[in-house]
């Protein structure tokens, strides 16, 4: 029998790691993408305007559920209790099950609620505002747990067997990360060895959100290549109470104290071949495809956080007085409130637009969802930090301490701690920059990739050169001028009595072309070394994120003007956001070519070489003993099983 790989055996070269990641990508673009076009310098406003809206029946069912969920959140989710005891009460989870919250995204034919992506995300924003750990539990269960990959890739038999359970009773978890494997799955050490009609699963998974209380697991494991088996990273549905599974630790974090996140060990766990999702070797592709819409759950939680920050900032800013006036009337504080309000409006615009596009399934939203996750996680953290500053010492003080001395128990510091993980969850900011950048330059690599590939022959490069010449001869001239230079373009975004948003859309159109030219210049300058210019690529992506957010904000403002009673206010918020965003965009463009990237690389080399250890003198290191990375050698568990099944 093939022996399980150890962590040391799973080491792979940089080239092999890139090949695994590239093979997992969706290679083709079968549908249009607003964000993809934006990075190519083409402002396709027609893809997002008029703003798509939910069908009447979807909206009716969604609003009815939100009303029930709001009542439940107000009466049965005790944020202070969860924070104090670091655990979501069993009765709270039972109540969510009875409400049908486990099955929000599962079809009614399987006992779920069948909500659209729009209303699922509204529900997550609502629950997350009551307690972010509860929002994370529901999100991990439905966005990346068993329901979503089965919905996309499962067989009829698998859907019939597992989706009814997930809709009402069973909590699921997604297990990919390992102690020494994060965003580099080519080094995955967990293996699933074929044995008759089963697979034998061995390995250790880390940071298994919901893993401590889960009934069903989606596990990513490497199947060794053998006769009759293609092998490769493969996805399995695994019963969490199977013999050989041990939850060895319930992890604790700076935030999300109620999160049921653990370390799970598998030792010779029998998994039926019928529980394999898709063919062998398709696990990473399944995971990435699942995340195309699954990533929208984090922006939803961030939108809820932004709304809460705005409410607390507004109420506190009006009550707290300094020097004869409310603190919000002082410009230094007022600017922070304006930033929170405008950014919350933009984040909700990005979320709703992306979610509605996901529901309509007319566009490929892989870049939009990734941009939404990246942008929302960064901006929400900034908003929470600004609220903490507005609250001053009370922002730094815990809610329990505030209550103990007779003041309103406002958990500002908890919000800061809880939001911080979103810049790491489901792809860190740094990884998201690289992922989005890869998709943004996909068109260039398809026509000119062989030119910069050192492994290609001269004949391959010659063919690529001819192909690239034709593409760029058609593409580059279109980046010179466009509607952004036409004074009255997008005039419908300047209705009488409203702020003028047309100028912002002209800015987006001009800037998209400028961004495409800058990307092309970077590729021409660095060629094969472009992938190492992570600072440059990160700024390119951040500019694209700002342009996407500006577009969404303007389109949403126009939707609200036409359909609701907040048109003037929405236009004012969109105007404020776009003006703030344009300043950030100008700064990012300046840093594309004027930065300290080369200097920083030299300093880092010195740091790793030990040249600056003298700078570390004069401190006491309070870190404990132990290895930097825990041993994950496959084998039987030597620890108590801390799994806590809920019934």
């Amino acid at each position: 029998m093939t022996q399980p790989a150890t962590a040391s055996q799973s080491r792979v070269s940089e080239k092999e790691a890139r090949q695994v990641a590239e093979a997992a990508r969706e290679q083709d673009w079968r549908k249009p993408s607003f964000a993809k076009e934006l990075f190519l310098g083409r402002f396709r406003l027609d893809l997002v305007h008029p703003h798509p809206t939910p069908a009447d029946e979807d909206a009716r069912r969604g609003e009815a559920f939100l009303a029930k969920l709001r009542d439940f959140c107000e009466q049965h989710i005790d944020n202070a209790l969860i924070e104090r005891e670091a655990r979501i009460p069993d009765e709270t989870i039972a109540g969510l099950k009875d409400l049908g919250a486990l099955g929000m995204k599962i079809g009614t034919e399987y006992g779920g609620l069948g909500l659209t992506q729009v209303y699922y995300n509204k529900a997550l924003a609502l629950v997350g505002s009551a307690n972010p750990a509860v929002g994370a539990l529901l999100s991990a269960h439905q966005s990346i747990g068993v329901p979503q990959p089965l919905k996309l890739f499962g067989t009829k038999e698998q859907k019939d067997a597992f989706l009814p359970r997930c809709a009402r009773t069973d909590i699921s978890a997604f297990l990919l990360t390992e102690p020494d494997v994060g965003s580099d799955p080519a080094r995955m050490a967990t293996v699933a060895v074929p044995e008759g009609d089963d697979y034998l699963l061995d390995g250790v998974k880390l940071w298994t959100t919901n893993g401590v209380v889960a009934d069903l697991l989606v596990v990513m494991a490497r199947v060794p290549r053998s006769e009759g088996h293609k092998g490769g990273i493969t996805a399995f549905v695994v019963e969490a109470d199977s013999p050989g599974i041990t939850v060895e630790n319930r992890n604790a974090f700076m935030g999300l104290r109620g999160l049921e996140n653990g370390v799970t060990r598998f030792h010779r766990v029998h998994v039926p071949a019928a529980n394999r999702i898709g063919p062998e070797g398709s696990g990473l592709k399944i995971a990435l495809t699942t995340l195309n819409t699954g990533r929208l759950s984090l922006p939803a939680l961030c939108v809820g956080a932004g709304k809460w920050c705005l409410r607390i900032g507004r109420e506190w800013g009006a009550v707290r007085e300094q020097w004869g006036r409310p603190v919000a009337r002082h410009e230094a504080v007022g600017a922070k409130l304006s930033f929170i309000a405008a950014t919350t409006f933009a984040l909700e615009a990005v979320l709703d637009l992306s979610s509605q596009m996901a529901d309509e399934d007319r566009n490929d939203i892989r870049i939009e969802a990734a941009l939404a996750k990246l942008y929302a996680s960064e901006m929400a953290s900034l908003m929470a930090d600004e609220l903490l500053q507005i609250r001053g010492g009370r922002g730094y003080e815990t809610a329990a301490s505030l209550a103990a001395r007779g003041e309103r128990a406002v958990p500002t510091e908890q919000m800061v701690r809880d939001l911080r993980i979103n810049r790491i969850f489901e792809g860190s900011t740094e990884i998201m920059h690289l992922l989005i950048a890869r998709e943004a330059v996909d068109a260039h690599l398809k026509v000119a990739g062989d030119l910069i590939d050192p492994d290609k022959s001269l004949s391959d490069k010659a063919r690529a050169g001819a192909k690239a010449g034709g593409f760029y001869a058609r593409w580059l001239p279109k980046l010179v001028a466009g509607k952004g230079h036409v004074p009255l373009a997008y005039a419908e975004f300047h209705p009488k009595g409203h702020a003028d948003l047309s100028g912002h859309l002209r800015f987006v159109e001009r800037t998209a072309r400028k961004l495409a030219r800058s990307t092309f210049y970077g590729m021409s300058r660095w060629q094969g070394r472009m992938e190492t210019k992570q600072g440059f690529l990160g700024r390119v992506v951040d500019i694209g994120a700002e342009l996407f957010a500006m577009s969404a904000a303007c389109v949403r403002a126009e939707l609200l003007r036409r359909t609701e009673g907040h048109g003037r206010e929405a236009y004012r918020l969109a105007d404020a956001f776009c003006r703030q965003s344009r300043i950030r965009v100008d700064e990012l463009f300046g840093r594309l070519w004027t930065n300290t990237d080369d200097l920083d690389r030299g300093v880092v080399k010195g740091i790793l070489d030990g040249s600056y250890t003298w700078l570390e003198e004069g401190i006491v290191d309070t870190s404990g003993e132990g290895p930097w990375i825990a041993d994950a050698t496959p084998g039987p568990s030597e620890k108590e099983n801390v799994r806590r099944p809920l019934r």
Side-chain angles (χ1 to χ4, degrees):
M1 183 180 71
T2 304
Q3 293 298 312
T6 65
S8 60
Q9 290 172 330
S10 67
R11 290 179 184 148
V12 297
S13 68
E14 180 178 357
K15 180 178 179 180
E16 290 172 320
R18 292 183 184 280
Q19 288 174 339
V20 169
E22 187 64 20
R25 283 184 61 249
E26 288 185 74
Q27 303 293 324
D28 299 320
W29 295 84
R30 301 181 183 87
K31 300 174 184 177
S33 164
F34 174 79
K36 176 176 177 284
E37 293 293 299
L38 203 62
F39 281 109
L40 285 170
R42 300 189 285 248
F43 181 43
R44 290 286 308 278
L45 186 62
D46 61 294
L47 293 178
V48 296
H49 174 68
H51 193 298
T53 55
D56 290 343
E57 176 59 20
D58 290 336
R60 186 194 64 76
R61 289 192 299 110
E63 293 294 342
F65 176 71
L66 287 179
K68 296 178 184 177
L69 184 62
R70 174 177 289 278
D71 288 342
F72 181 86
C73 289
E74 292 175 344
Q75 297 174 26
H76 301 291
I77 297 181
D78 188 336
N79 178 71
L81 175 67
I82 295 171
E83 183 72 3
R84 183 170 61 251
E85 298 189 355
R87 177 166 291 174
I88 302 169
D90 290 1
E91 54 268 27
T92 299
I93 298 177
L96 289 169
K97 291 180 179 181
D98 292 340
L99 198 62
L102 293 188
M104 288 186 285
K105 287 195 72 178
I106 298 174
T108 54
E109 66 272 28
Y110 299 108
L113 299 181
L115 297 186
T116 63
Q117 187 73 36
V118 168
Y119 279 97
Y120 170 67
N121 285 334
K122 288 181 182 294
L124 287 181
L126 177 60
V127 171
S129 68
N131 179 263
V134 179
L137 181 145
L138 293 177
S139 169
H141 165 67
Q142 292 170 88
S143 296
I144 59 175
V146 170
Q148 189 66 9
L150 283 193
K151 176 182 176 181
L152 296 174
F153 299 99
T155 65
K156 181 182 185 302
E157 292 74 17
Q158 290 171 336
K159 293 175 182 178
D160 290 342
F162 297 118
L163 290 185
R165 292 169 56 184
C166 292
R168 290 290 175 180
T169 59
D170 288 15
I171 294 174
S172 68
F174 175 76
L175 280 62
L176 171 65
T177 305
E178 299 178 0
D180 197 26
V181 178
S183 297
D184 183 12
R187 300 170 57 247
M188 186 177 294
T190 299
V191 295
V193 179
E195 185 173 271
D197 292 332
D198 291 350
Y199 289 85
L200 281 183
L201 195 60
D202 282 273
V204 179
K205 295 295 184 179
L206 175 63
W207 297 325
T208 60
T209 298
N210 288 357
V212 179
V213 297
D215 305 286
L216 290 170
L217 313 172
V218 175
V219 182
M220 295 291 169
R222 183 185 304 281
V223 176
R225 184 187 295 273
S226 62
E227 185 177 352
H229 291 275
K230 174 185 176 182
I233 297 175
T234 305
F236 299 89
V237 178
V238 181
E239 300 281 357
D241 61 356
S242 299
I245 298 180
T246 306
V247 179
E248 295 189 331
N249 193 62
R250 181 181 187 269
N251 303 322
F253 304 98
M254 68 178 278
L256 295 183
R257 289 176 52 79
L259 197 68
E260 297 290 354
N261 181 292
V263 177
T264 303
R265 178 178 291 272
F266 301 89
H267 177 60
R268 297 183 61 78
V269 177
H270 287 263
V271 181
N275 284 23
R276 188 188 70 222
I277 308 175
E280 291 181 357
S282 63
L284 284 185
K285 188 178 290 289
I286 288 172
L288 290 177
T289 304
T290 297
L291 283 173
N292 281 347
T293 53
R295 281 198 175 96
L296 292 175
S297 61
L298 282 182
L301 297 170
C302 290
V303 166
K307 289 174 178 286
W308 184 85
C309 288
L310 177 59
R311 178 170 184 169
I312 297 301
R314 172 179 58 81
E315 294 181 354
W316 172 249
V319 170
R320 174 63 165 165
E321 291 191 358
Q322 290 282 278
W323 297 302
R325 67 172 70 177
V327 292
R329 299 291 183 183
H330 291 282
E331 189 173 280
V333 174
K336 298 180 188 299
L337 278 178
S338 175
F339 166 74
I340 292 172
T343 304
T344 298
F345 178 82
L347 293 191
E348 187 168 39
V350 166
L351 176 67
D352 280 4
L353 180 60
S354 301
S355 300
Q356 188 59 44
M357 287 196 293
D359 286 330
E360 293 190 349
D361 200 27
R362 289 188 294 109
N363 295 345
D364 187 321
I365 67 159
R366 73 183 85 162
I367 300 182
E368 285 84 347
L371 285 173
K373 188 275 177 188
L374 166 69
Y375 194 70
S377 62
E378 290 290 327
M379 300 304 277
S381 286
L382 287 176
M383 287 191 289
D385 191 68
E386 292 287 51
L387 176 64
L388 191 152
Q389 192 69 19
I390 291 171
R391 288 275 289 160
R394 290 173 172 84
Y396 193 67
E397 190 174 2
T398 68
S401 178
L402 288 166
R405 59 183 186 78
E407 290 195 2
R408 181 172 170 177
V410 181
T412 306
E413 60 84 30
Q414 179 194 338
M415 179 64 72
V416 172
R417 289 187 288 104
D418 287 345
L419 282 172
R420 184 60 182 84
I421 187 58
N422 290 337
R423 295 168 60 195
I424 300 170
F425 261 167
E426 295 181 16
S428 68
T429 291
E430 294 72 25
I431 291 299
M432 296 306 296
H433 276 148
L434 298 181
L435 183 152
I436 297 168
R438 172 62 187 86
E439 300 295 351
V441 301
D442 186 52
H444 299 285
L445 293 180
K446 283 184 175 178
V447 299
D450 286 356
L451 279 173
I452 59 178
D453 188 340
D455 295 331
K456 295 297 181 180
S457 66
L458 289 177
S459 59
D460 288 335
K461 291 180 182 292
R463 283 191 294 271
K467 183 179 179 183
F471 172 80
Y472 289 118
R474 296 187 301 272
W475 178 68
L476 287 171
K478 296 178 181 178
L479 301 182
V480 177
K483 289 183 67 175
H485 293 291
V486 179
L488 297 180
Y490 311 111
E492 65 269 33
F493 287 87
H494 189 192
K496 185 178 180 180
H498 293 68
D500 183 6
L501 301 184
S502 65
H504 299 312
L505 292 178
R506 291 194 294 272
F507 174 85
V508 172
E509 196 277 339
R510 294 193 306 272
T511 306
R513 287 186 281 108
K514 180 180 178 181
L515 181 61
R517 294 194 301 268
S518 298
T519 305
F520 173 73
Y521 177 70
M523 291 189 66
S524 302
R525 178 178 177 180
W526 293 305
Q527 298 185 27
R529 294 183 294 121
M530 179 77 156
E531 64 184 18
T532 69
K533 302 298 180 180
Q534 295 180 2
F536 177 87
L537 292 172
R539 294 173 198 116
V540 165
V541 169
D542 286 340
I543 293 170
E546 295 284 1
L547 299 183
F548 178 41
M550 290 175 65
S551 305
C554 292
V555 170
R556 179 173 176 79
E558 175 59 12
L559 171 69
L560 295 179
R561 184 188 73 83
R562 289 187 289 104
T563 60
E564 298 186 16
H566 306 297
R568 284 182 174 82
E569 294 82 4
Y571 259 68
R572 188 178 302 119
L573 286 173
D575 183 43
F577 172 77
C578 288
R579 291 179 186 276
Q580 295 168 10
S581 180
R582 288 171 70 160
I583 293 172
R584 293 191 291 267
V585 168
D586 288 342
E587 291 174 348
L588 286 164
F589 266 115
R591 290 172 55 211
L592 277 182
W593 312 111
T594 304
N595 52 63
T596 61
D597 292 351
D598 291 339
L599 176 62
D600 293 341
R601 276 191 289 272
V603 171
V604 169
K605 184 178 184 302
I607 291 172
L608 298 180
D609 290 345
S611 301
Y612 306 118
T613 53
W614 51 269
L615 191 58
E616 302 165 9
E617 296 174 2
I619 62 167
V620 173
D621 183 0
T622 59
S623 303
E625 298 295 326
W628 286 102
I629 299 171
D631 179 41
T633 303
S637 179
E638 299 178 357
K639 296 185 178 182
E640 176 188 357
N641 190 354
V642 298
R643 177 173 178 263
R644 185 170 64 90
L646 303 173
R647 297 298 177 193

